[in-house]
Amino acid sequence: QVQLVESGGGLVQPGGSLRLSCTASGFTFTAYAMRWFRQAPGKERELVAHITRDGDYTTYADSVKGRFTISRDNAENTVYLQMNRLKPEDTAVYYCVARPLAGWGRDYWGQGTQVTVSS
């Protein structure tokens, strides 16, 4: 059974930090690039960050550059999103996504974890 399970969401004050985790099972984790998406009510789904299979390249949405860091631990089948200097506009459900090489299958999505930034 393929699973991506996010954790670490919650309520945090503006300017605070939070680290999201996503643990994968049921597929070959090292064969997939990993992504974090987020979606807020009334807003389009947004690609927040991307990391390659061996973790050597990363990319970020302009809205989070300099504040968020994506990383992965292939020995633990886990991807992380470190979020610093959080803003109210970061409030959203955050989703972990596994992306295979072209021609090797479909994306896998986690269930999401809520992040709320509010004073």
Side-chain angles (χ1 to χ4, degrees), residues 44-110:
E44 287 190 11
R45 188 183 67 191
E46 179 183 26
L47 175 61
V48 176
H50 175 101
I51 188 166
T52 53
R53 289 155 188 81
D54 61 358
D56 57 345
Y57 294 98
T58 59
T59 189
Y60 300 91
D62 287 343
S63 57
V64 307
K65 282 181 181 175
R67 300 189 297 119
F68 289 13
T69 302
I70 188 171
S71 61
R72 67 190 294 162
D73 184 344
N74 286 344
E76 298 294 332
N77 286 3
T78 301
V79 63
Y80 303 95
L81 186 67
Q82 178 67 45
M83 304 184 293
N84 298 325
R85 309 201 317 275
L86 283 160
K87 304 174 180 179
E89 51 263 47
D90 295 318
T91 296
V93 177
Y94 284 72
Y95 297 92
C96 173
V97 181
R99 174 170 286 264
L101 288 168
W104 285 96
R106 298 171 58 86
D107 290 355
Y108 297 128
W109 285 70

